[in-house]
């Protein structure tokens, strides 16, 4: 073989190796988040059970929500017959409220208590936590009953922690979100009864 061709052959071999490495490694591409090509919901992207998200309930199955807290306490209850849930009404502390108000309360609580977060942590990591409120939710037989405690660490008063009963992970919610929900429900409690 002619010595003039050796550098050219070495260059060609190097270029082929670089091309192969670029094809297999492809550092400029990110991994497809869903191999099926569809968008995953947040609950599907969590691998560990309970990580980053508490359980979700179905609003139409809810029959009662009780909030027992330091600043406010109330009970939202479905009235009427169990067989005809669609026609049943709602009461807040025994006073009638509209279905729209009941749906708003349940939806806001659902959003607050099921907030997806990468800031979840083990319940055992809380330091000197104080229970601020307890939420008890009764729902249909498929969803089951749920109890949540809302706790605060004295060192970090701006963050409350949602503690679902029977789970090892807790999830943060801002104090202002809890206070906003309490304020809205207190306004409903003092408003005139629904017709």
């Amino acid at each position: 073989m002619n010595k003039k061709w050796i550098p050219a052959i070495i260059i060609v071999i190097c270029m082929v190796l670089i091309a192969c490495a670029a094809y297999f490694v492809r550092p400029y591409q990110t991994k497809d988040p869903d191999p099926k090509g569809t968008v995953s919901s947040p609950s599907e992207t969590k691998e560990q059970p309970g990580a980053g998200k508490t359980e979700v309930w179905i609003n139409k199955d809810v029959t009662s929500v009780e909030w027992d807290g330091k600043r406010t306490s109330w009970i939202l209850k479905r009235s009427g017959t169990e067989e005809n849930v669609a026609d049943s009404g709602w009461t807040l502390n025994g006073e009638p409220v509209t279905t729209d108000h009941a749906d708003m309360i349940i939806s806001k609580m659902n959003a607050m208590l099921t907030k997806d977060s990468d800031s979840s942590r083990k319940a055992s990591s809380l330091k000197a936590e104080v229970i601020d409120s307890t939420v008890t939710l009764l729902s249909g037989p498929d969803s089951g009953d749920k109890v949540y405690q809302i706790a605060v660490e004295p060192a970090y008063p701006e963050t409350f922690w949602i503690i679902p009963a029977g789970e090892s992970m807790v999830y943060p919610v801002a104090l202002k979100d809890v206070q906003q929900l309490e304020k809205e429900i207190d306004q409903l409690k003092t408003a005139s009864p629904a017709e």
Side-chain angles (χ1 to χ4, degrees):
M1 182 182 287
N2 191 342
K3 287 188 179 183
K4 286 196 278 182
W5 290 100
I6 292 177
I9 291 172
I10 291 173
I11 290 172
V12 169
I13 290 172
C14 288
M15 289 175 62
V16 169
L17 289 174
I18 290 170
C20 288
Y23 177 79
F24 288 110
V25 175
R26 288 185 278 193
Y28 52 87
Q29 289 188 359
T30 58
K31 184 180 175 186
D32 184 2
D34 190 351
K36 295 180 204 131
T38 58
V39 178
S40 299
S41 70
S43 61
E44 292 171 336
T45 59
K46 299 288 182 187
E47 296 295 327
Q48 299 174 344
K53 195 168 178 96
T54 60
E55 291 181 279
V56 180
W57 62 80
I58 299 168
N59 286 8
K60 68 179 179 61
D61 291 342
V62 174
T63 57
S64 171
V65 182
E66 181 176 358
W67 182 292
D68 184 14
K70 289 187 171 181
R71 290 167 301 282
T72 186
S73 293
W74 50 267
I75 298 175
L76 177 71
K77 225 174 179 180
R78 190 185 294 274
S79 59
T81 61
E82 296 270 335
E83 299 85 35
N84 201 356
V85 172
D87 291 337
S88 61
W90 289 91
T91 61
L92 181 62
N93 286 354
E95 296 293 333
V97 291
T98 65
T99 302
D100 287 343
H101 284 146
D103 287 343
M104 180 270 297
I105 293 169
I106 294 167
S107 294
K108 287 194 173 191
M109 290 193 61
N110 200 344
M112 184 181 76
L113 296 173
T114 63
K115 188 171 280 187
D116 188 67
S117 175
D118 292 331
S119 302
S120 61
R121 57 192 265 203
K122 289 184 182 269
S124 59
S125 70
L126 292 174
K127 303 283 186 217
E129 73 276 11
V130 176
I131 302 302
D132 180 83
S133 304
T134 300
V135 179
T136 306
L137 184 130
L138 307 180
S139 53
D142 293 339
S143 303
D145 303 341
K146 295 177 175 59
V147 177
Y148 301 87
Q149 289 185 319
I150 302 174
V152 63
E153 294 176 292
Y156 306 100
E158 296 302 309
T159 301
F160 279 17
W161 292 91
I162 307 297
I163 308 172
E167 292 190 25
S168 61
M169 302 299 286
V170 296
Y171 313 93
V173 63
L175 168 64
K176 63 181 177 60
D177 292 342
V178 174
Q179 288 176 331
Q180 179 62 31
L181 179 62
E182 289 176 335
K183 179 181 172 188
E184 289 176 13
I185 292 171
D186 281 342
Q187 287 171 346
L188 281 178
K189 282 162 54 179
T190 56
S192 58
E195 306 206 355

